[in-house]
Amino acid sequence: MSKTLVVYLMAGSDTPELAAAAIAGGTDLLEIGFPFSDPLADGPVIRRAAERALAEGMGPSACLDCVRRIREQNDVPLVPMTYSSILEAYGWERFPADAAEAGADSLIVADLPVDERPELRRIQLVAPTSTDERIALAAERTDGWLYLVTVTGTTGTRVELSPALAPLVERTRRVTDVPLYAGFGISTPEQAAEAAELADGIVVGSAALVAAEDGPISLERFVGQLRASLA
């Protein structure tokens, strides 16, 4: 069974070109980060990318325009990743409506607990610290797939796959049959292959952004290596 590859990119003026490169490399889904000044879950690589995007003027409207430009050129699923403060300022009902109009297929709101805003259909996250009850609720309310946070910490590259992933997958599979995609700390093709033996897909963020710093060709090559590792 083919494993799903999700690549994270920060919204910016060059993101449509980078998105095309990631798709050419073989990603199945793109997660598009909306920069935030206080990103609690993000490590140094994504924080730097967010700072560059904010300096470039990438507010919510500009980020939605970025999603729209990617959608005009490609048909892979697009999932904005944002924070509750952005939705609070933009409008809880207005944001998902405008995101859908721009071509987004779902949302991730990293710091919004599963039991808040249940009317907002979104991809839910669970972590090694989540109780079985919270995992079951997240699985019930998630939009299509469940995001497994493999570490109790921030995003970022790591030298080895988190040992917390296997028990988290085991606990989650007891309560749901929705697809499970693992992220946070998956940095190399080898780690991607190891994680994919446990989960239904993987999410790669910081390592993809590092590759993207050297341009679209570098990103396409890196994503191609990830894709090959999941074959």
Side-chain angles (χ1 to χ4, degrees):
M1 182 177 178
S2 177
K3 302 292 185 171
T4 298
L5 173 59
V6 181
V7 170
Y8 172 100
L9 297 172
M10 182 65 68
S13 59
D14 61 346
T15 305
E17 184 181 7
L18 293 171
I23 293 166
T27 192
D28 299 298
L29 186 154
L30 284 169
E31 182 183 344
I32 307 298
F34 282 33
F36 182 50
S37 57
D38 188 23
L40 302 179
D42 292 333
V45 172
I46 294 181
R47 282 177 179 267
R48 285 197 302 270
E51 289 167 1
R52 290 194 296 268
L54 290 170
E56 195 180 86
M58 294 303 296
S61 295
C63 291
L64 289 171
D65 286 341
C66 177
V67 171
R68 186 175 293 106
R69 289 169 59 203
I70 297 171
R71 172 55 68 229
E72 289 171 352
Q73 301 170 16
N74 306 282
D75 59 3
V76 301
L78 302 176
V79 179
M81 197 293 288
T82 186
Y83 284 85
S84 55
S85 293
I86 292 177
L87 272 71
E88 181 73 34
Y90 192 94
W92 286 102
E93 295 181 0
R94 180 178 163 224
F95 186 93
D98 286 0
E101 185 275 331
D105 294 273
S106 189
L107 298 172
I108 296 173
V109 188
D111 60 344
L112 187 63
V114 62
D115 50 0
E116 293 187 20
R117 299 279 174 178
E119 75 284 358
L120 181 64
R121 194 70 178 164
R122 61 193 188 272
I123 294 161
Q124 301 287 350
L125 294 86
V126 297
T129 53
S130 300
T131 65
D132 290 348
E133 292 76 17
R134 300 289 283 191
I135 291 173
L137 183 60
E140 176 186 327
R141 294 186 176 176
T142 201
D143 187 17
W145 51 279
L146 201 57
Y147 195 137
L148 303 187
V149 177
T150 65
V151 297
T152 51
T154 61
T155 60
T157 59
R158 288 172 170 80
V159 296
E160 61 183 19
L161 189 68
S162 169
L165 177 58
L168 178 59
V169 169
E170 182 180 355
R171 291 170 58 212
T172 306
R173 291 211 190 277
R174 290 192 199 123
V175 299
T176 186
D177 57 2
V178 302
L180 310 179
Y181 299 170
F184 282 55
I186 298 174
S187 311
T188 66
E190 293 75 19
Q191 291 172 359
E194 187 180 354
E197 290 181 2
L198 300 168
D200 302 300
I202 63 158
V203 184
V204 178
S206 295
L209 290 180
V210 170
E213 289 177 355
D214 292 325
I217 294 175
S218 171
L219 177 62
E220 181 178 344
R221 184 184 305 116
F222 176 65
V223 175
Q225 292 169 347
L226 293 172
R227 179 78 272 165
S229 76
L230 302 181

